[in-house]
C-alpha cells in the first residue's frame, strides 16, 4: 500500500493531466513512469522523444497521440513506420481500437482508406506527401515516427530527417527510438527544428532479463548471482572453464598435429574420425575434462523441460535457419498437441487459400506446413512475405514454439519470446566474420520476455571453444548504440526544395539537418581545441623569441634544410635533384648569415621552435577539419545543384536565382536511388520502344542490387528485342552521368545491375513461378521483394512519363502484380 505522500502526488498528477489518467485506466496494465511522462508531455502540448529498450512499450506514447487527435473532430494523426510489415501490424491494431472506417493504410503499393483520420504509412509515403503538399495534410495534428533510429540507415535514413524538417510547425512529433547513447543530442536537435521537445529516456526493461551460458547441457548464469549484473561480475565457474580451455589449447593442438602426422606416415586405416553418436559433441581438454556442446534438438528439449519456450534462435544466415528446422524435423521434435496442430492447419489453410496449388508446390508448402504443425519455423528475408506473416501470427498465438530467425526479426515486428538463444556472437557482414556489437546484442536479446506473460526473459548463449565470458559480459552490460545521421542531399530533394523555397532558403533548411547539427557539435569541440592550442602557441613563441633576430624564420629554414637533406640526391629525375641541391646550398648560406646563428641560446630556442612547429601543423589540420565540417551538407547540395544545372533541370539566371525547368518539374515526382538516371532516361526517350515485359525488366535493372559474389548474366542471358538496345542506351547514359557526378566531386552510383532482368521479363510474360525462381536463382521472398520495388518504380513511371510510355508502365504493372507478388494481407 502506498504512503499518503505518494497517493497525494498521484492525485495531483491525475488532476493536472486528466486525459492521460483516463487513457491509462483503459490499458491492460499499469503504465510505467516513462510512458506516463511521455503522455504528460503530449497533453501539455509538447513534442516528445522516447528512447527505451525493445519491448518496453514505447508505442503506448504514440497511441496516446492518436487518442488525443481522435478527441477532436477535425484533427488527424499519422503513424509512420520504416517497414511495410510494421505498418500492416499497426494498421490492424489501430483498426481494433477505432474501427475500420477511421483507420487507413498507405505503403506505396497499398492504399486503404487513405483519407481516414488515422493513417498508418511508411516514412517514404509521408515524405512524398510533404513535397507534393498533399491535401491529406490538412488537419494533421500529430505524427508518430516509430523506430526513428532508422535515420542512421545508410540508404533510407535521409527520409526521416526530411520529414522532421518539413513537417508544418503546428504538427507535434512523437519520436520513438531504441535506447541510444546520444538521445539527449538527438533531442536537442529536435528541440531546435521542431520546437519544445521533451526527451524521455528509459533503460529499464519491463521484464527483467536473465542471462545464461549453455554448457554441458546446463544453463549456467552469465553473472555471479551474488554480485548482480550492475557489477558485471562474471560467473567464476565460466571463468574456470575458460582458463582450463586456454591452458590446454596448445597441448591439444600439439597432440592433434602429432596424430595427423602419424596418420600421414602410416596411412589412415580407420577411415578418419567417427562422428559422435547422438547430439553431444565432446571437446576434450588435456586433463580429460569434457565440455559438451549439444545439438539443437537437445537444446530445444532442454528449454522445453525448463519451461523456457517459446524461444527465438538467432542464426545469422538463412541457410542456417532452414537447416535448423530440418534438423529438428529429422530428430522427430514435436512441440504441439492435437488441438494446437488442428488450429495451426486451419489458420495456414485459411491464409493461403488464394495461392494456386502449383505455386504452393514450388514453395515447398506442405513440408513447411507440417513443420509449423510441429511448432517449429524459420523466419528470414528469403521467406515469402505471406509465409512470414503466418509464422508471426502463429508465434504470437503461442502455437509455434521455436523460431529460427536471422537478425532482421529483431528490427521491428512484435514477436517477443520467453527465451532468445544466440548460437554464435559473430556474423558475416558481407566481407568478413565480425563480432556483434553491444547494440546488436541488446536488440537481439530485447526480444526475450513477454510483458504481462513472463516474470523474466532469458538470453542463452551457447558455449563454444572461442567463447570469452568476459567479452559476453561486456556486451550484455554495455549500452553503446550511438545515433548518427546518414543524411545527404539527393537530386529529387534538391529540385523539391528549390521549387518550394529557392536555392538560398534550401541551403538554410539543409543546414538545419541532424547531420549538420552533429558536425557543428563536433566543430565546437575542435574550435575549443584550437583555442587551447593558440594559447600554447603564444607561450612557445615567447620562449623561442630571440633578441638577435626572427627565430621563427630561422627555424623554418632549418626545418626545410633538414627535409631536403633527408631526401638526398637519389630520388627524382636529374633536373629535380639538381634544383634540390641548389636550394640546399642556398639555405646553408642563408643560415650562416642569419643573426640567430650566433645566439648562445640558439639550441634552446630551437627546441621551443620545434614544439611550436609541431603544434602549429596540428592546429592547421584542426582548422581544415572545421572548414570541412562547417556547411558540409550545404556544400554537397551546391554540387548536386551544379549537376542539375549542367543537365538543364535547374535554370540559373544572371543574378544567381534558380528555377526549375520542365525536366526539373518531372524530377520532383521521381524518388529513389536512381532518380537522376530515371529522369534522364525519360527525357531522352530511350525507353520508348519497350513493351510491358521489357519495361518491367529494365525497371528491375535499376532497383536490383546484386549479391557481392554475383557476376551477372552474359548477353545471351538477357531478354532479346528492344530491351537490349534500351539497356545499352541506359548503361551508356549511366556512364556519362557517373562521370559528370565525379567531375563535381560527388560519389557517383553503382552500375546498372542486369542479374534479375531475364527472370522479371519472364514473369511479366506470364511464366510459371517455378521457371522464374530457377532463372532468378533467388528465394521466393527475395524475388517478391525486388518485384515490389520494381512495381514502385513502374508506378512512378505511369504517373510521370509521357502518354505512350505511361501506358506501357501501367500494362507492366498489371503484368507483374500477380500470383505470389499480388498476395498479401493488405
Amino acid at each position: 500500500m502506498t504512503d499518503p505522500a505518494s497517493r497525494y502526488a498521484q492525485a495531483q498528477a491525475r488532476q493536472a493531466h486528466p486525459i492521460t489518467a483516463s487513457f491509462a485506466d483503459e490499458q491492460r496494465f499499469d503504465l510505467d513512469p516513462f510512458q506516463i511522462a511521455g503522455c504528460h508531455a503530449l497533453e501539455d502540448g509538447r513534442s516528445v522523444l522516447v528512447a527505451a529498450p525493445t519491448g518496453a512499450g514505447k508505442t503506448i506514447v504514440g497511441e496516446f497521440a492518436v487518442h488525443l487527435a481522435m478527441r477532436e473532430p477535425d484533427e488527424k494523426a499519422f503513424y509512420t513506420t520504416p517497414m511495410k510489415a510494421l505498418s500492416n501490424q499497426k494498421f490492424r491494431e489501430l483498426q481494433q481500437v477505432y474501427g475500420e472506417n477511421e483507420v487507413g493504410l498507405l505503403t506505396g503499393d497499398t492504399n486503404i482508406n487513405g483519407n481516414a483520420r488515422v493513417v498508418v504509412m511508411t516514412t517514404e509515403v509521408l515524405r512524398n506527401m510533404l513535397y507534393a503538399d498533399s491535401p491529406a495534410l490538412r488537419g494533421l495534428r500529430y505524427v508518430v515516427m516509430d523506430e526513428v533510429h532508422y535515420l542512421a540507415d545508410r540508404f533510407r535514413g535521409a527520409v526521416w530527417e526530411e520529414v522532421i524538417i518539413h513537417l508544418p510547425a503546428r504538427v507535434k512529433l512523437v519520436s520513438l527510438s531504441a535506447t541510444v547513447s546520444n538521445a539527449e543530442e538527438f533531442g536537442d536537435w529536435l528541440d531546435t527544428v521542431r520546437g519544445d521537445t521533451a526527451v524521455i529516456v528509459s533503460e529499464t526493461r519491463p521484464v527483467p532479463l536473465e542471462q545464461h551460458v549453455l554448457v554441458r547441457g546446463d544453463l549456467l548464469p552469465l553473472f555471479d548471482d551474488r554480485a548482480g549484473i550492475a557489477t558485471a561480475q562474471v560467473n567464476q565457474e565460466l571463468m574456470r572453464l575458460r582458463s582450463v580451455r586456454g591452458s590446454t589449447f596448445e597441448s591439444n593442438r600439439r597432440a592433434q598435429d602429432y596424430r595427423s602426422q602419424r596418420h600421414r606416415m602410416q596411412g589412415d586405416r580407420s577411415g578418419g574420425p567417427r562422428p559422435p553418436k547422438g547430439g553431444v559433441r565432446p571437446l576434450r581438454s588435456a586433463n580429460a575434462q569434457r565440455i559438451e556442446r549439444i545439438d539443437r534438438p537437445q537444446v530445444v528439449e532442454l528449454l522445453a523441460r525448463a519451461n523456457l519456450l517459446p524461444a527465438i534462435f538467432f542464426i545469422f544466415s538463412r541457410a542456417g535457419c532452414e537447416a535448423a528446422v530440418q534438423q529438428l524435423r529429422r530428430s522427430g521434435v514435436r512441440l504441439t498437441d492435437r488441438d494446437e496442430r488442428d488450429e495451426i492447419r486451419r489458420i495456414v489453410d485459411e491464409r493461403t487459400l488464394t495461392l494456386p496449388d502449383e505455386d504452393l508446390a514450388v514453395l515447398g508448402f506442405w513440408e513447411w506446413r507440417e513443420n509449423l504443425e510441429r511448432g517449429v519455423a524459420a523466419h528470414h528475408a528469403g521467406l515469402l512475405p505471406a509465409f512470414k506473416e503466418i509464422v508471426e501470427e502463429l508465434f504470437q498465438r503461442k502455437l509455434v514454439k521455436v523460431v529460427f530467425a536471422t537478425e532482421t526479426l529483431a528490427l521491428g515486428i512484435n514477436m517477443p519470446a520467453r527465451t532468445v538463444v544466440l548460437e554464435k556472437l559473430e556474423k558475416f557482414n558481407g566481407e568478413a566474420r565480425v563480432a556483434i556489437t553491444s547494440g546488436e546484442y541488446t536488440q537481439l536479446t530485447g526480444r526475450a520476455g513477454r510483458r504481462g506473460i513472463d516474470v523474466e526473459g532469458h538470453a542463452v548463449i551457447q558455449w563454444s571453444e572461442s567463447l570469452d565470458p568476459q567479452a559476453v559480459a561486456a556486451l550484455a552490460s554495455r549500452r553503446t548504440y550511438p545515433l548518427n545521421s546518414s543524411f545527404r542531399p539527393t537530386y529529387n530533394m534538391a529540385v523539391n526544395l528549390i521549387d518550394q523555397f529557392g536555392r538560398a532558403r534550401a541551403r538554410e533548411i539543409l543546414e538545419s539537418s541532424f547531420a549538420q547539427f552533429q558536425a557543428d557539435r563536433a566543430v565546437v569541440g575542435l574550435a575549443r581545441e584550437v583555442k587551447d592550442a593558440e594559447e600554447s602557441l603564444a607561450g612557445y613563441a615567447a620562449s623561442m623569441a630571440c633578441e638577435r633576430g626572427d627565430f621563427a624564420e630561422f627555424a623554418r629554414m632549418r626545418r626545410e634544410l633538414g627535409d631536403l637533406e633527408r631526401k638526398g640526391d637519389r630520388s627524382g629525375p636529374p633536373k629535380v635533384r639538381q634544383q634540390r641541391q641548389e636550394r640546399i646550398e642556398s639555405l646553408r648560406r642563408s643560415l650562416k648569415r642569419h643573426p640567430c646563428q650566433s645566439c648562445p641560446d640558439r639550441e634552446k630556442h630551437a627546441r621551443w621552435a620545434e614544439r611550436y612547429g609541431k603544434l602549429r601543423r596540428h592546429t592547421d589540420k584542426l582548422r581544415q577539419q572545421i572548414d570541412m565540417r562547417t556547411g558540409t551538407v550545404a556544400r554537397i547540395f551546391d554540387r548536386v545543384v551544379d549537376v542539375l544545372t549542367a543537365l538543364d533541370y535547374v535554370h540559373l539566371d544572371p543574378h544567381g536565382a534558380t528555377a526549375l525547368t520542365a525536366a526539373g518539374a518531372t524530377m520532383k515526382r521521381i524518388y529513389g536511388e536512381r532518380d537522376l538516371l530515371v529522369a534522364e532516361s525519360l527525357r531522352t526517350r530511350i525507353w520508348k520502344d519497350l513493351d510491358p515485359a521489357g519495361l518491367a525488366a529494365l525497371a528491375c535493372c535499376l532497383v536490383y542490387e546484386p549479391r557481392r559474389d554475383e557476376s551477372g548474366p552474359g548477353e545471351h542471358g538477357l531478354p532479346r528485342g528492344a530491351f537490349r538496345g534500351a539497356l545499352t542506351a541506359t548503361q551508356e547514359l549511366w556512364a556519362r552521368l557517373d562521370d559528370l557526378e565525379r567531375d563535381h566531386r560527388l560519389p557517383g552510383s553503382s552500375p546498372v545491375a542486369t542479374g534479375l532482368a531475364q527472370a522479371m521479363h519472364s514473369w511479366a510474360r506470364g511464366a510459371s513461378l517455378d521457371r522464374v525462381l530457377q532463372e532468378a536463382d533467388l528465394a521466393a521472398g527475395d524475388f517478391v521483394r525486388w518485384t515490389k520495388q520494381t512495381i514502385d518504380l513502374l508506378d512512378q513511371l505511369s504517373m510521370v512519363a509521357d502518354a505512350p510510355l505511361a501506358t506501357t508502365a501501367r500494362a507492366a504493372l498489371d503484368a507483374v502484380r500477380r500470383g505470389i507478388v499480388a498476395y498479401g494481407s493488405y
Side-chain angles (χ1 to χ4, degrees):
M1 186 173 180
T2 56
D3 60 84
S6 298
R7 290 198 300 273
Y8 177 76
Q10 291 171 2
Q12 290 290 96
R14 290 182 68 88
Q15 188 173 359
H17 298 94
I19 304 176
T20 299
S22 63
F23 177 78
D25 290 341
E26 297 170 4
Q27 304 309 308
R28 293 181 293 107
F29 46 79
D30 293 338
L31 297 191
D32 291 333
F34 84 90
Q35 295 169 321
I36 294 172
C39 294
H40 283 177
L42 287 171
E43 191 171 351
D44 291 339
R46 308 171 70 191
S47 291
V48 64
L49 165 65
V50 180
T54 300
K58 297 182 290 288
T59 56
I60 282 288
V61 182
E63 290 164 10
F64 181 68
V66 175
H67 176 78
L68 288 175
M70 294 301 285
R71 287 171 54 87
E72 303 296 330
D74 299 323
E75 290 187 355
K76 290 182 178 180
F78 288 171
Y79 198 109
T80 75
T81 76
M83 296 181 293
K84 293 177 182 179
L86 266 178
S87 294
N88 290 341
Q89 188 176 61
K90 184 53 64 175
F91 172 61
R92 290 190 289 264
E93 291 173 3
L94 290 173
Q95 273 190 325
Q96 292 173 3
V97 178
Y98 299 106
E100 293 185 3
N101 294 333
E102 297 287 5
V103 183
L105 176 67
L106 297 174
T107 60
D109 59 351
T110 303
N111 185 337
I112 300 174
N113 200 16
N115 292 316
R117 291 181 57 203
V118 180
V119 184
V120 183
M121 62 186 69
T122 52
T123 317
E124 282 84 355
V125 169
L126 179 53
R127 186 270 311 272
N128 299 352
M129 291 171 68
L130 288 167
Y131 279 148
D133 195 21
S134 169
L137 297 170
R138 298 191 188 108
L140 181 61
R141 179 64 171 153
Y142 296 96
V143 166
V144 181
M145 300 194 78
D146 203 354
E147 310 283 348
V148 74
H149 51 272
Y150 259 77
L151 69 76
D153 184 82
R154 184 163 60 96
F155 299 105
R156 300 173 59 206
V159 176
W160 274 256
E161 291 191 47
E162 288 178 83
V163 168
I164 291 169
I165 292 169
H166 295 306
L167 275 174
R170 68 177 184 276
V171 177
K172 298 303 176 186
L173 186 66
V174 183
S175 304
L176 308 177
S177 170
T179 305
V180 293
S181 52
N182 60 335
E184 288 76 12
E185 179 188 42
F186 184 50
D188 288 345
W189 175 68
L190 289 172
D191 200 78
T192 301
V193 295
R194 300 299 316 162
D196 188 11
T197 301
V199 178
I200 298 163
V201 178
S202 172
E203 295 197 18
T204 303
R205 285 176 50 99
V207 181
L209 182 65
E210 294 290 327
Q211 312 208 50
H212 317 270
V213 177
L214 179 57
V215 185
R216 299 194 195 96
D218 292 328
L219 290 174
L220 302 181
L222 173 61
F223 294 100
D224 191 322
D225 293 338
R226 295 163 297 180
I229 192 170
T231 61
Q233 179 72 40
V234 180
N235 186 338
Q236 291 306 299
E237 185 172 353
L238 292 174
M239 295 306 297
R240 281 194 295 274
L241 288 172
R242 167 75 172 173
S243 176
V244 167
R245 199 212 76 203
S247 64
T248 61
F249 176 76
E250 184 62 24
S251 59
N252 275 338
R253 187 184 64 78
R254 286 197 299 267
Q256 185 174 359
D257 290 346
Y258 170 75
R259 286 193 298 270
S260 298
Q261 185 179 11
R262 187 178 64 184
H263 284 311
R264 285 195 299 270
M265 293 173 64
Q266 300 177 351
D268 188 354
R269 292 183 294 273
S270 67
R274 295 178 182 176
K277 294 181 179 180
V280 177
R281 295 192 183 98
L283 305 177
R284 293 183 182 273
S285 64
N287 62 357
Q289 180 174 348
R290 294 167 60 89
I291 302 177
E292 299 168 351
R293 179 182 174 91
I294 61 177
D295 280 343
R296 292 184 186 113
Q298 285 69 40
V299 176
V300 170
E301 290 171 3
L302 183 152
L303 296 178
R305 288 195 305 271
N307 196 27
L308 293 179
L309 297 181
I312 298 172
F313 285 65
F314 281 110
I315 301 174
F316 299 116
S317 81
R318 301 177 186 181
C321 293
E322 295 293 346
V325 171
Q326 292 305 316
Q327 191 177 7
L328 264 64
R329 177 189 179 90
R330 288 193 302 270
S331 68
V333 169
R334 189 179 295 277
L335 305 170
T336 53
D337 58 31
R338 180 184 296 276
D339 290 341
E340 289 173 325
R341 290 194 289 276
D342 290 344
E343 180 68 2
I344 289 169
R345 182 181 288 261
R346 184 192 65 77
I347 292 171
V348 172
D349 290 348
E350 183 181 294
R351 300 289 184 271
T352 58
L353 188 62
T354 60
L355 287 174
D357 284 351
E358 57 269 25
D359 286 356
L360 292 177
V362 172
L363 297 168
F365 169 79
W366 286 277
E367 183 178 304
W368 173 74
R369 187 180 66 182
E370 184 182 337
N371 291 333
L372 290 176
E373 290 177 26
R374 291 175 177 271
V376 180
H379 189 289
H380 53 74
L383 205 61
L384 188 69
F387 285 14
K388 279 200 295 186
E389 291 175 14
I390 292 168
V391 171
E392 292 158 13
E393 180 180 353
L394 294 177
F395 194 79
Q396 289 163 1
R397 292 191 181 202
K398 309 185 193 71
L399 294 171
V400 164
K401 320 290 186 180
V402 171
V403 169
F404 296 98
T406 55
E407 61 186 311
T408 53
L409 180 70
L411 303 172
I413 60 167
N414 181 29
M415 251 181 89
R418 176 164 293 171
T419 304
V420 162
V421 180
L422 300 179
E423 296 188 348
K424 295 181 180 178
L425 295 176
E426 62 178 19
K427 64 177 183 177
F428 186 70
N429 66 358
E431 296 178 350
R433 298 205 68 82
V434 297
I436 64 173
T437 66
S438 58
E440 289 168 333
Y441 182 90
T442 302
Q443 195 81 15
L444 295 168
T445 57
R447 289 285 168 199
R450 298 164 299 174
R451 185 166 186 164
I453 301 174
D454 298 322
V455 176
E456 58 196 14
H458 298 266
V460 176
I461 298 93
Q462 281 199 267
W463 178 270
S464 68
E465 188 173 287
S466 60
L467 189 77
D468 180 356
Q470 290 280 20
V472 179
L475 280 177
S477 57
R478 195 164 58 233
R479 297 290 180 266
T480 53
Y481 185 64
L483 183 61
N484 293 316
S485 172
S486 60
F487 184 83
R488 60 180 178 82
T490 65
Y491 297 105
N492 170 271
M493 185 192 305
V495 294
N496 274 289
L497 289 173
I498 288 171
D499 188 51
Q500 287 191 14
F501 306 108
R503 183 172 185 170
R505 174 68 181 132
R507 288 180 101 259
E508 293 176 8
I509 289 171
L510 291 174
E511 287 183 330
S512 69
S513 67
F514 186 45
Q516 191 58 57
F517 184 84
Q518 287 190 305
D520 290 342
R521 282 282 178 100
V523 165
V524 171
L526 291 172
R528 188 179 299 113
E529 193 174 344
V530 167
K531 181 181 177 182
D532 293 342
E534 292 289 358
E535 293 176 1
S536 298
L537 285 170
Y540 293 168
S543 298
M544 75 175 181
C546 179
E547 57 186 24
R548 298 195 179 192
D550 185 351
F551 202 91
E553 180 189 50
F554 181 76
R556 181 189 58 76
M557 288 192 295
R558 278 181 56 153
R559 189 164 53 250
E560 183 183 355
L561 176 61
D563 291 343
L564 290 171
E565 287 177 337
R566 276 191 294 273
K567 290 182 181 178
D569 59 357
R570 294 186 181 87
S571 61
K575 185 176 181 180
V576 171
R577 294 202 302 268
Q578 181 183 348
Q579 291 173 344
R580 185 187 303 135
Q581 192 59 40
E582 290 173 356
R583 178 59 178 162
I584 287 173
E585 295 300 327
S586 173
L587 285 168
R588 286 172 177 169
R589 289 192 297 269
S590 297
L591 284 169
K592 283 182 181 180
R593 294 194 300 267
H594 198 285
C596 292
Q597 178 71 20
S598 59
C599 176
D601 294 327
R602 183 187 67 196
E603 294 310 311
K604 177 182 176 183
H605 294 326
R607 285 192 294 272
W608 284 109
E610 184 178 357
R611 296 173 189 172
Y612 180 92
K614 285 183 179 178
L615 186 57
R616 171 55 70 193
R617 291 191 292 274
H618 176 65
T619 306
D620 289 343
K621 287 182 180 178
L622 292 177
R623 291 188 186 281
Q624 288 176 2
Q625 290 183 44
I626 291 173
D627 291 340
M628 289 174 62
R629 289 174 182 266
T630 304
T632 304
V633 177
R635 279 202 302 275
I636 295 173
F637 171 73
D638 287 338
R639 295 169 193 167
V640 167
V641 173
D642 288 344
V643 170
L644 291 170
T645 303
L647 294 171
D648 199 33
Y649 285 85
V650 172
H651 175 69
L652 189 65
D653 71 16
H655 304 291
T658 50
L660 299 188
T661 63
T666 300
M667 169 79 79
K668 283 176 56 182
R669 294 183 291 160
I670 299 173
Y671 302 95
E673 291 287 310
R674 303 280 193 182
D675 49 6
L676 183 60
L677 180 57
V678 171
E680 276 293 275
S681 298
L682 292 180
R683 187 166 68 164
T684 55
R685 298 173 59 80
I686 58 177
W687 298 342
K688 61 183 176 61
D689 296 328
L690 289 170
D691 63 5
L695 184 58
L698 195 49
C700 180
C701 291
L702 299 187
V703 300
Y704 179 60
E705 296 172 12
R707 299 184 295 268
R708 287 178 179 269
D709 57 348
E710 186 177 321
S711 59
E715 187 174 328
H716 67 279
L718 294 173
R720 299 183 180 277
F723 172 83
R724 294 196 180 184
L727 174 63
T728 299
T730 304
Q731 290 171 325
E732 292 172 350
L733 176 58
W734 168 82
R736 293 195 298 274
L737 293 177
D738 192 64
D739 288 342
L740 181 63
E741 288 178 307
R742 295 182 191 279
D743 288 344
H744 285 83
R745 291 181 294 161
L746 290 169
S749 58
S750 55
V752 174
T754 58
L756 202 53
Q758 182 60 58
M760 189 60 64
H761 190 267
S762 298
W763 181 253
R765 288 170 62 88
S768 68
L769 177 64
D770 188 20
R771 174 185 161 186
V772 168
L773 292 183
Q774 286 183 19
E775 288 181 345
D777 189 25
L778 285 178
D782 291 322
F783 177 71
V784 169
R785 185 173 74 257
W786 292 122
T787 306
K788 295 269 189 182
Q789 293 194 33
T790 301
I791 286 171
D792 287 345
L793 178 53
L794 290 171
D795 191 41
Q796 291 182 48
L797 295 178
S798 73
M799 293 184 286
V800 302
D802 293 334
L805 188 60
T807 303
T808 304
R810 283 190 287 273
L813 273 172
D814 293 337
V816 298
R817 193 186 278 141
R818 66 179 180 88
I820 64 170
V821 175
Y823 177 88
S825 298
Y826 300 103

